[in-house]
Amino acid sequence: MAKVAVLNMEGKEVGNIELNDAIFGVEVNEHLVHMAVLQQLANNRQGTQKAKTRSEVSGGGRKPWRQKGTGHARQGSTRAPQWTGGGVVFAPTPRDYSFKLNKKEKRIALKSVLTDKVAQNKFIVVDELKLDEIKTKKFVEVMNNLKVEKALVVLNDMDTNVIASAANVPTVKTAQTNELNVFDLLKYDTVVVSKAAVATIEEVYA
């Protein structure tokens, strides 16, 4: 089992914790990590783009001029694609970009990223992360003590003081253990986790 130092909010080591190899010591599966990111990005797409084809544009029912004898090219409608105000050829229509990934595959991807963070010493465990009031300055001070900048802060419960204090820090995102996802873990350089959150992660994903 991998051993990680436990720090307090001043950035000082106050102990250590053994991480479960079933979650933090697995073989990294890059393909499933890639698929998990693709799925999350695809599922976030709205897919609401729409343009009208020639059959959907209003008007153009009458032939603009007679077939022969005018000197113009023959035309059947003023809503054909070559006309200004005409329909669009192969117009985009609303579609669903989402696709499914098995629960087991999602878990393997998540464990792979967590394992990689631990291996790179980008997984910081704090004994607790508590603030007496909503204070961005205090939260930034804690992040500086831990020597992290771009971080995903994982909390065990809905701590409104910490969440609100971190809201104005553009390089930090807070998440609860049930909101963990591969995209966020990869997006942020460092993962800061409370000791209680580690226990919950091991309980849920083991």
Side-chain angles (χ1 to χ4, degrees):
M1 286 189 173
K3 259 190 182 179
V4 175
V6 178
L7 309 178
N8 60 18
M9 292 201 299
E10 283 73 48
K12 293 173 183 174
E13 190 173 330
V14 292
N16 53 59
I17 186 173
E18 284 193 348
L19 300 175
N20 190 342
D21 282 345
I23 299 166
F24 301 99
V26 301
E27 187 180 340
V28 177
N29 190 321
E30 289 184 13
H31 172 66
L32 286 182
V33 171
H34 174 67
M35 290 304 294
V37 173
L38 273 187
Q39 189 216 20
Q40 192 168 339
L41 292 175
N43 291 1
N44 286 343
R45 289 184 73 175
Q46 284 190 316
T48 53
Q49 188 184 17
K50 176 77 175 83
K52 290 182 179 181
T53 62
R54 63 182 294 172
S55 66
E56 295 169 317
V57 180
S58 63
R62 183 174 63 84
K63 192 174 173 67
W65 50 72
R66 58 199 172 95
Q67 182 81 343
K68 290 175 176 289
T70 62
H72 292 300
R74 51 198 166 187
Q75 301 289 335
S77 168
T78 56
R79 296 298 179 263
Q82 73 271 20
W83 284 72
T84 300
V88 178
V89 184
F90 306 128
T93 55
R95 57 169 286 195
D96 181 13
Y97 289 94
S98 65
F99 64 92
K100 190 174 179 291
L101 208 61
N102 293 336
K103 193 184 283 186
K104 276 186 179 179
E105 292 175 323
K106 280 184 182 177
R107 285 199 168 199
I108 292 169
L110 192 69
K111 290 176 182 180
S112 294
V113 180
L114 287 171
T115 298
D116 188 56
K117 290 292 182 186
V118 172
Q120 292 185 44
N121 295 321
K122 297 287 187 181
F123 191 85
I124 296 173
V125 181
V126 291
D127 56 350
E128 65 169 0
L129 201 55
K130 296 281 183 188
L131 296 177
D132 297 329
E133 57 179 336
I134 297 171
K135 198 80 174 171
T136 301
K137 188 177 178 182
K138 177 65 178 171
F139 181 82
V140 170
E141 193 180 302
V142 173
M143 291 295 105
N144 290 338
N145 291 340
L146 298 173
K147 295 183 175 64
V148 295
E149 287 182 18
K150 197 175 180 185
L152 177 69
V153 178
V154 183
L155 306 169
N156 193 46
D157 49 22
M158 189 78 174
D159 191 324
T160 50
N161 283 357
V162 175
I163 293 168
S165 298
N168 285 334
V169 185
T171 57
V172 172
K173 181 178 180 179
T174 54
Q176 290 173 261
T177 50
N178 61 345
E179 297 171 331
L180 270 184
N181 62 79
V182 173
F183 181 78
D184 282 343
L185 287 169
L186 288 174
K187 183 180 178 181
Y188 294 90
D189 296 335
T190 311
V191 181
V192 177
V193 194
S194 66
K195 199 174 177 181
V198 173
T200 303
I201 291 168
E202 290 185 339
E203 187 183 327
V204 173
Y205 295 102

